[in-house]
């Protein structure tokens, strides 16, 4: 099982995503369940960066989840995905 | 139907289908006759602003109807136009404008130089009012423009730290239009998306392969800030038949479950280019549209009038699952050589640098003879007469028998990020201009799925990431701002004393993993 506590993953992801949104001039509030890509707040450029970041940080191979971005569509969804037993922080 | 310049070709299309829809933009529809009339009036207005044949006009505009009409107006008087990103950092815009030395800048923002600002509804209405009194008939002097007159200037990243303006002649675009008609079957009845940014090379195809083949073009905003499902729905609402974009966008739509015949039933041809499409990701796209739409991979440096080769994806394309989609065979009217470092042809089946020639090749870089001389060279295998080839820097291999080209890497430090061509040296230069930074080197890390991540190493005074990001954002477009900045005691050098990008890439890969 992963040793990363759920709140820490959430907090890291929230920080990371908030930073990207600010860079894009989006400073609206962001809750853990707000949709990131479906809503258009993050786009294809952000997707590439987020995927590589998650792949690097948690050793998740995006091809293993079928290149499915809807599974990374909120902070909660990302936190749930990276804490699956197969995902280990690297 | 033959014409020796783009303007006459456009006027022939207008004459044959004046009432057909040419442009859908900002919720309005314009027929060929209306677009031509606007272009003629704007051409006369440009001339009243001291714009004449050969003078450069900079169009710092978003996708508004005037942008398309002004482009057509410019080609009618033989004044090359340059679309510039209206959101580009002021410093980068200044570099591009200074290179162009424009007779006129039409912009949505204030700034230096002879400039007409149409930044709000009132200003647009005033321009419309001013030109409405002008004659809307075709201009007699259009016939004087030759195939080698410059049609447009397209800026691309430069390794000297400054963007380069590629000058494309009318004849280059005429060949692109003919290829699109014969090889892609584009004609009246088609509707092409113009999702590509108007200041980005891919939009040259959207505009000319569409309008000048009698098809309509649909101006669509890229995804910025709006749900991707909205973009897809808009393409379907407008019944677009041809959708050209960078692989990054298609991969994104695929990841969001929006790339399917259910979402895009009207599209019969998808084309992608500007960067490689990993075959592993292309398979799903191909399967989703098998029997319903064709998929075409295209290739072409900006210097070859947008596109110089195309390849239709078929089942056997996936016999190899690794790597990128093939580039295809070169279009008619391009000649090429694949040469080694000593400028000798490589043996069949081995990779070498692609040099391209023919009427589709650019005239050079605007007001930049040094860079022009560096990249546009006499064919090393021809003596006795002038035969200029563009040195692409792309390493390719030609398949024996078919002539199909495959991409094998770069001979220099150019990379593709989301389809945009980026010379890493331009980022190095921008970082070194930051007070306290003594040396800097940008690198790209790739993952197996084809995603690329831009990082930068720097030496000198330690700074926060946010300081460096702000500095870069003031000098570079958003896609060229590194995602992370990592301080190093010194930048490693190779045996020749030059900064070693490869070992920096490996160091940064480790540093990012450690910091995570």
């Amino acid at each position: 099982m992963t040793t990363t506590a759920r709140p820490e993953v959430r907090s890291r992801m929230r920080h990371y995503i908030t930073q990207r949104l600010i860079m894009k001039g989006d400073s609206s509030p962001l809750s853990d369940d707000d949709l990131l890509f479906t809503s258009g707040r993050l786009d294809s450029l952000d997707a590439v960066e987020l995927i590589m970041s998650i792949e690097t940080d948690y050793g998740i191979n995006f091809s293993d989840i079928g290149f499915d971005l809807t599974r990374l569509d909120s902070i909660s969804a990302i936190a749930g995905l990276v804490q699956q037993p197969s995902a280990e922080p690297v | 139907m033959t014409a020796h310049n783009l303007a006459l070709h456009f006027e022939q299309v207008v004459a044959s289908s004046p009432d057909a829809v040419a442009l859908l933009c900002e919720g309005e529809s314009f027929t060929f006759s209306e677009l031509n009339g606007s272009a003629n009036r704007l051409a006369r207005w440009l001339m009243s602003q001291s714009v004449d044949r050969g003078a450069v006009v900079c169009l710092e505009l978003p996708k508004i109807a005037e942008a398309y009409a002004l482009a057509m107006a410019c080609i009618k008087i033989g004044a090359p136009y340059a679309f510039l990103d209206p959101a580009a950092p002021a410093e980068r815009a200044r570099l591009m404008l200074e290179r162009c030395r424009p007779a006129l800048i039409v912009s949505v923002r204030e700034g230096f130089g002879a400039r007409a600002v149409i930044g709000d509804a009132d200003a647009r209405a005033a321009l419309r009012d001013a030109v409405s009194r002008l004659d809307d008939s075709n201009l007699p002097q259009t016939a004087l423009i030759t195939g080698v007159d410059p049609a447009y200037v397209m800026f691309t990243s430069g390794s000297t730290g400054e963007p380069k303006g590629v000058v494309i002649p009318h004849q280059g675009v005429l060949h692109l239009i003919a290829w699109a008609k014969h090889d892609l079957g584009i004609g009246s009845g088609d509707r092409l998306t113009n999702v590509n940014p108007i200041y980005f090379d891919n939009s040259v195809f959207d505009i000319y392969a569409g309008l000048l083949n009698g098809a309509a073009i649909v101006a669509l905003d890229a995804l910025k800030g709006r749900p991707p499902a909205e973009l897809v729905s808009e393409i379907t609402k407008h019944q677009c038949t041809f959708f050209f974009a960078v692989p990054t966008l298609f991969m994104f739509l695929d990841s969001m479950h929006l790339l399917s015949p259910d979402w895009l039933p009207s599209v019969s041809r998808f084309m992608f280019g500007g960067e490689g499409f990993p075959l592993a990701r292309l398979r799903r796209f191909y399967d989703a549209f098998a029997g319903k739409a064709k998929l075409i991979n295209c290739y072409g440096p900006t210097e070859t009038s947008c596109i110089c080769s195309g390849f239709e994806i078929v089942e056997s394309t996936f016999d190899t699952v690794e790597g990128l989609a093939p580039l295809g065979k070169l279009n008619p009217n391009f000649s090429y050589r694949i040469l080694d470092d000593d400028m000798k042809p490589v043996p069949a089946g081995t990779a070498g640098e692609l040099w391209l020639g023919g009427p589709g090749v650019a005239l050079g870089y605007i007001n930049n003879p040094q860079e022009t001389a560096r990249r546009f060279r006499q064919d090393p295998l021809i003596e006795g007469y002038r035969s200029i080839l563009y040195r692409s820097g792309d390493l390719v291999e030609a398949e024996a028998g078919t002539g199909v080209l495959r991409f094998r890497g770069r001979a220099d430090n150019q990379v593709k990020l989301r389809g945009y061509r980026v010379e890493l040296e331009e980022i190095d230069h921008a970082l070194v201009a930051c007070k306290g930074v003594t040396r800097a080197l940008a690198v790209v890390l790739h993952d197996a799925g084809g995603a690329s991540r831009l990082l930068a190493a720097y030496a000198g005074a330690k700074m926060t990431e946010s300081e460096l990001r702000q500095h870069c954002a003031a000098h570079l477009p958003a896609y060229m701002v590194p995602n992370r900045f990592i301080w190093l005691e010194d930048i490693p050098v190779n045996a020749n004393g030059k900064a070693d990008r490869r070992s920096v890439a490996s160091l940064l890969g480790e540093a990012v993993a450690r910091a995570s």
Side-chain angles (χ1 to χ4, degrees):
Chain A
M1 284 295 286
T2 174
T3 54
T4 307
R6 182 175 286 262
E8 190 193 314
V9 175
R10 280 176 185 263
S11 131
R12 272 173 63 171
M13 276 299 146
R14 190 180 303 111
H15 175 74
Y16 174 81
I17 289 164
T18 308
Q19 288 294 309
R20 282 204 78 81
L21 288 171
I22 288 170
M23 273 169 63
K24 294 155 70 78
D26 177 353
S27 52
S28 304
L30 178 71
S31 84
D32 283 5
D33 295 319
D34 283 351
L35 296 178
L36 301 168
F37 295 104
T38 302
S39 65
R41 290 183 74 179
L42 293 185
D43 61 22
S44 56
L45 276 68
D46 305 306
V48 172
E49 178 59 18
L50 181 68
I51 289 160
M52 288 202 71
S53 171
I54 292 173
E55 284 182 337
T56 313
D57 295 358
Y58 298 103
I60 289 177
N61 186 340
F62 199 54
S63 62
D64 289 347
I65 61 165
F67 302 105
D68 188 349
L69 209 49
T70 59
R71 295 180 65 183
L72 307 178
D73 209 8
S74 68
I75 292 169
S76 296
I78 297 168
L81 188 76
V82 302
Q83 289 184 116
Q84 284 176 0
S86 58
E88 290 290 335
V90 293
Chain B
M1 188 155 59
T2 52
H4 65 270
N5 68 46
L6 289 168
L8 290 180
H9 190 115
F10 178 61
E11 288 166 8
Q12 287 175 357
V13 172
V14 173
S16 68
S17 53
D19 300 323
V21 174
L23 173 67
L24 289 144
C25 184
E26 299 181 286
E28 280 191 87
S29 169
F30 303 88
T31 64
F32 275 97
S33 171
E34 288 167 337
L35 182 61
N36 189 49
S38 296
N40 287 335
R41 287 187 170 123
L42 284 164
R44 289 184 168 89
W45 172 75
L46 288 171
M47 289 190 294
S48 75
Q49 307 290 309
S50 307
V51 175
D52 214 337
R53 183 175 170 190
V56 178
V57 177
C58 287
L59 303 174
E60 203 175 37
L61 301 171
K63 286 176 187 163
I64 55 177
E66 290 90 332
Y68 298 93
L70 277 163
M72 293 299 120
C74 287
I75 63 166
K76 280 169 178 278
I77 53 177
Y81 65 85
F83 275 122
L84 304 180
D85 178 4
E91 173 60 18
R92 198 164 197 264
R94 185 185 62 78
L95 289 173
M96 293 190 280
L97 289 169
E98 284 182 359
R99 277 289 173 194
C100 283
R101 300 177 200 159
L104 181 69
I105 305 160
V106 184
S107 177
V108 286
R109 58 183 179 181
E110 300 288 344
F112 66 90
R115 179 178 295 245
V117 179
I118 50 169
D120 57 35
D122 287 347
R124 286 177 71 183
L127 175 64
R128 236 185 344 259
D129 187 49
V131 301
S132 67
R133 289 185 285 273
L134 300 173
D135 180 4
D136 70 350
S137 64
N138 291 337
L139 291 85
Q141 59 266 53
T142 294
L144 301 175
I145 301 163
T146 72
V148 290
D149 271 49
Y152 67 85
V153 178
M154 182 64 68
F155 276 91
T156 184
S157 178
S159 60
T160 56
E162 191 191 320
K164 297 184 291 194
V166 180
V167 184
I168 295 291
H170 280 243
Q171 64 188 13
V173 191
L174 286 169
H175 289 295
L176 176 74
I177 294 161
W179 173 74
K181 180 180 177 182
H182 291 113
D183 282 41
L184 306 174
I186 293 177
S188 60
D190 270 318
R191 281 193 171 186
L192 278 71
T193 57
N194 180 209
V195 174
N196 297 300
I198 205 165
Y199 52 84
F200 175 46
D201 189 34
N202 281 3
S203 70
V204 169
F205 175 88
D206 297 338
I207 295 171
Y208 288 100
L211 287 181
L212 273 70
N213 277 318
I217 55 172
V218 183
L220 296 158
D221 280 328
L223 292 171
K224 282 174 192 158
R226 65 177 186 149
E230 256 183 46
L231 171 71
V232 170
S233 300
E234 211 175 336
I235 291 170
T236 297
K237 184 181 94 181
H238 291 302
Q239 293 289 296
C240 292
T241 57
F242 197 103
F243 183 5
F244 175 34
V246 292
T248 299
L249 180 64
F250 286 120
M251 286 192 272
F252 177 68
L253 296 178
D254 177 41
S255 302
M256 296 298 293
H257 307 294
L258 295 169
L259 197 56
S260 70
D262 290 340
W263 278 97
L264 291 159
S266 60
V267 178
S268 58
R269 284 145 294 168
F270 292 89
M271 191 165 80
F272 30 84
E275 63 186 331
F277 206 133
L279 287 169
R281 298 293 306 272
L282 191 54
R283 177 86 241 191
R284 274 161 50 124
F285 185 6
Y286 177 78
D287 286 343
F289 286 92
K292 296 193 172 78
K294 284 183 180 178
L295 271 58
I296 301 121
N297 185 41
C298 67
Y299 161 78
T302 303
E303 287 84 347
T304 59
S305 310
C306 192
I307 293 169
C308 63
S309 76
F311 182 85
E312 187 183 336
I313 308 298
V314 290
E315 185 61 38
S316 61
T317 307
F318 301 100
D319 289 351
T320 313
V321 290
E322 296 287 312
L324 304 169
L327 308 180
K329 282 191 340 188
L330 282 174
N331 304 346
N333 273 315
F334 280 98
S335 60
Y336 74 99
R337 297 198 187 281
I338 303 176
L339 304 176
D340 64 16
D341 290 345
D342 297 323
M343 300 214 272
K344 300 260 184 341
V346 297
T350 52
E353 186 174 351
L354 181 63
W355 295 57
L356 292 147
V361 168
L363 301 174
Y365 300 114
I366 193 159
N367 294 319
N368 197 339
Q370 277 180 322
E371 282 295 300
T372 301
R374 208 164 69 82
R375 303 306 293 195
F376 295 84
R377 310 264 288 269
Q378 173 69 19
D379 184 338
L381 306 184
I382 286 181
E383 285 178 27
Y385 61 89
R386 186 171 170 274
S387 175
I388 301 296
L389 298 179
Y390 164 64
R391 183 175 195 173
S392 73
D394 285 331
L395 301 176
V396 302
E397 190 182 313
E399 202 173 80
T402 64
V404 166
L405 301 178
R406 287 180 181 271
F407 183 69
R408 294 289 184 239
R410 284 289 301 177
D412 56 18
N413 293 315
Q414 186 190 108
V415 294
K416 289 297 187 81
L417 292 167
R418 293 60 146 166
Y420 288 102
R421 174 167 139 183
V422 174
E423 302 282 353
L424 291 172
E425 290 92 339
E426 195 176 346
I427 303 170
D428 304 345
H429 278 89
L431 268 167
V432 170
C434 183
K435 202 176 168 196
V437 174
T438 51
R439 298 190 80 174
L441 217 57
V443 298
V444 167
L445 301 185
H446 301 279
D447 82 346
S452 310
R453 189 177 207 196
L454 181 62
L455 309 169
Y458 70 101
K462 272 191 182 174
M463 268 175 268
T464 64
E465 288 220 328
S466 129
E467 284 171 326
L468 291 163
R469 193 168 288 122
Q470 275 178 18
H471 171 82
C472 285
H475 291 81
L476 301 168
Y479 61 87
M480 286 176 71
V481 176
N483 304 120
R484 289 204 183 167
F485 301 86
I486 291 144
W487 181 83
L488 296 178
E489 184 78 41
D490 203 3
I491 302 289
V493 291
N494 60 20
N496 301 324
K498 290 182 79 176
D500 188 345
R501 220 173 279 272
R502 192 167 293 179
S503 57
V504 168
S506 136
L507 274 173
L508 292 199
E510 290 165 22
V512 168
R514 268 201 313 277
S516 303

